[in-house]
Amino acid sequence: MEVMYQSTRNSGKTVTASQAILKGLADDGGLFVPTSIPALDTSLEDIAKMNYQETAYQVMKQFLTDFTEEELKNCINRAYDSKFDTKEIAPLVEKDGVYYLELFHGATIAFKDMALSILPHLLTTSARKNKITNQIVILTATSGDTGKAALAGFADVEGTSIIVFYPKNGVSAIQERQMVTQKGNNTSVIGITGNFDDAQSGVKAMFNNKELAKVMDNNGYQFSSANSINIGRLVPQVVYYVYSYTRLLANGAVKAGEPVNFVVPTGNFGNILAAFYAKNMGVPVGKLICASNENKVLYDFFETGVYDKNREFILTTSPSMDILISSNLERLIYKIAGEDAEATADMMAALANTGKYTITDEMKARMKDFIGGWASEEKTAEEIKRVYEKTGYVLDTHTAVASAVYHDYKMKTQDDTKTIIASTASPYKFATSVMTAIDKKYEGMDDFALIDELSKTAGTKIPNAVEEIRSAPVLHDTVCDTKDMQKMVEKILGI
């Protein structure tokens, strides 16, 4: 059965998976969602005998029904190869009575690699399928990780170019260095004098600018997105939730049908939404625990049913979660609103105009799978130290937020369900915050000196992604005001 896609703001028109991937954002500003979430057609017990690539095919073929088997397998095999430094692609590590799902073994040592390794292949295949001759311009806002992972994925990919905007003072030193040293004739990186929400709003405005689209088309260009608003980003993320559950099944840690909880450090809501999709596909999931840092707009939303971004924006040690507009939440809103596109559009308009919206009690009841939690900066640092001293295992700051939220939840509820925590970044990406959490003596040390210390402390090899930027020259040093983002794009494209 072919799965079609519709906008969260207009359910009248449907497009194929490849068309949704190409467009990124629907014409009305909505996000593409499948008309229904497909079920797995292979048993979880059978998937438990498969490797990551085979699991990816079982999951993704259900969503991307206009791709042939050969096309999809080709995309999967080109994505999940030696770029990853472990054969399992996403290993599960048991520590301190919980399973950490390590999603940081790709080229840029963050979970974004899991989807952004495959998105360029899905996109170029989609362009061929739809006979697109325009050059595809990937336009992306990043809070730190998406940018580098997208740049690495799209660098020198034929028929594409990529422009990344990031908050100049809102990412870690390593994250920034990873981006500004990026090679590739088709790559551009621009810092903005604002925060991530400003960057994301600027990118969305360009996507929705019909005049700009016309000018670009006349010059042989069209936009697409590598942000998690693109369904081609979301679908590959569903894979690792199916995979992690079936690993527990394979090693006898859970019995068939036994539920697990997932804890996900959350910013833009795409990663935890993928776990929700996995549940809807047939994975036995108990609770989806949404972990926030001090920018706890999602925690407050789950507690009250009011989404309100009118608050101070806090820069934390877990910058990929420093977000007040969680774009992917719109997909969940659409689902719990009974797939009412008009109601969803009204709430998104309220968010744009007043910075807030309120869901109904009925919608709130439909979110019973989700639990919100948050961890302060102090609690996050304490959790890094606690886990290290107890087990010798070193968490990055984002994973530590999730770990702290989980232990808090367990203490309050006494819920003994087996639990998987999404470990979304390597500690090497946030060495300063991680090492000073373990011991204050590291304060004030140089980033790369701290990386060497971290390697000794954790007893792990420094990842290539870090080694290669030690002495790499800075290739991108442009900074602009938020209001000038479109001008920068026009200048880069020469239009």
Side-chain angles (χ1 to χ4, degrees), residues 3 34-39 62-63 276-281 335 339:
V3 172
T35 47
S36 63
I37 297 171
Q62 300 298 336
F63 285 99
F276 177 71
Y277 274 35
K279 175 172 181 151
N280 281 267
M281 288 190 91
K335 182 96 177 137
E339 307 200 336

Side-chain angles (χ1 to χ4, degrees), residues 456-472:
K456 287 181 216 157
T457 303
T460 54
K461 186 172 168 281
I462 298 170
N464 280 343
V466 173
E467 282 294 8
E468 69 189 16
I469 60 169
R470 239 182 233 266
S471 55

Side-chain angles (χ1 to χ4, degrees), residues 14-26:
T14 59
V15 297
T16 62
S18 63
Q19 287 165 341
I21 289 168
L22 272 172
K23 287 180 86 65
L25 201 63

Side-chain angles (χ1 to χ4, degrees), residues 111-112 143 228 241 262-275 288-299 302 307 316 318-329 370-374 397-399 401-402 405 422 424:
F111 82 101
K112 308 289 169 82
S143 56
S228 52
Y241 291 107
F262 283 107
V263 190
V264 187
T266 308
N268 222 3
F269 206 75
N271 202 5
I272 195 163
L273 185 72
L288 293 165
I289 301 167
C290 177
S292 298
N293 63 17
E294 289 185 1
N295 291 291
K296 56 189 181 66
V297 65
L298 286 164
Y299 168 77
F302 285 119
Y307 191 97
T316 73
S318 45
S320 301
M321 299 158 71
D322 291 348
I323 292 174
L324 295 180
I325 305 171
S326 301
S327 281
N328 265 290
L329 186 62
F370 290 90
I371 302 257
W374 72 282
T397 45
H398 304 73
T399 310
V401 168
V405 164
T424 52

